[in-house]
Each structure stands twice: as structure tokens, then as C-alpha cells.
Amino acid sequence: IEESRGLSRVAGSALMPEISTSADATRTNTQVFLDKPITTKQAGFDAIWEIDLFGRNRAGARVAISRITSQMATHEDVR
């Protein structure tokens, strides 16, 4: 049952956006005519959301929920 619930969360996550961030800092002193070192900082943010045009992701989430229901029914039958 717990495995089915975990798989259901994975299937449901396909309906949510994927978010990532990044950061980088570099300090260099390679300029010949400058007395101060140069510090470069960068930050990034990405958000990706796949449009479920044909319902594949929603169908996968429904199948995962059905598996949970089936596992719970089987568990009750065994008791």
C-alpha cells in the first residue's frame, strides 16, 4: 500500500511544474591594468510546466489512485 501511495505521488508530480535554481560566483584578478579583482555573480531560476494536452499525465495519476484503492481492498480481503 505504501509503495502504491509513493507511486501515486510520483504520477501526480507530472501535473506540477518543475522548478530549479542555480547560483555561481567567480572572483578573478587577471586584468593587467586594474588594481581590484573582478567578482562576477550569476543567479538563475527556471520553471517548466508541461501542458497535459492529451490527458496522459492525468490518466497516469488516475491509474495510480486506482492501484492504491485496489491494494487497500486486497489488504482488507486478506485480513
Side-chain angles (χ1 to χ4, degrees):
I1 294 174
E2 293 301 318
E3 182 180 354
S4 294
R5 286 184 180 155
L7 292 173
S8 175
R9 283 189 212 104
V10 170
S13 70
L15 299 172
M16 299 297 168
E18 179 182 325
I19 298 172
S20 64
T21 59
S22 63
D24 183 39
T26 306
R27 187 172 178 105
T28 59
N29 196 10
T30 59
Q31 298 290 337
V32 176
F33 300 109
L34 296 176
D35 294 336
K36 296 180 180 179
I38 298 173
T39 302
T40 305
K41 298 175 185 174
Q42 293 180 338
F45 174 81
D46 292 321
I48 301 168
W49 196 322
E50 180 181 340
I51 298 173
D52 193 15
L53 209 54
F54 299 105
R56 184 179 136 238
N57 293 334
R58 279 177 290 169
R62 281 195 301 269
V63 166
I65 291 171
S66 296
R67 285 185 184 143
I68 292 172
T69 306
S70 172
Q71 291 290 330
M72 291 173 70
T74 302
H75 180 71
E76 289 299 319
D77 287 345
V78 171
R79 284 180 146 194

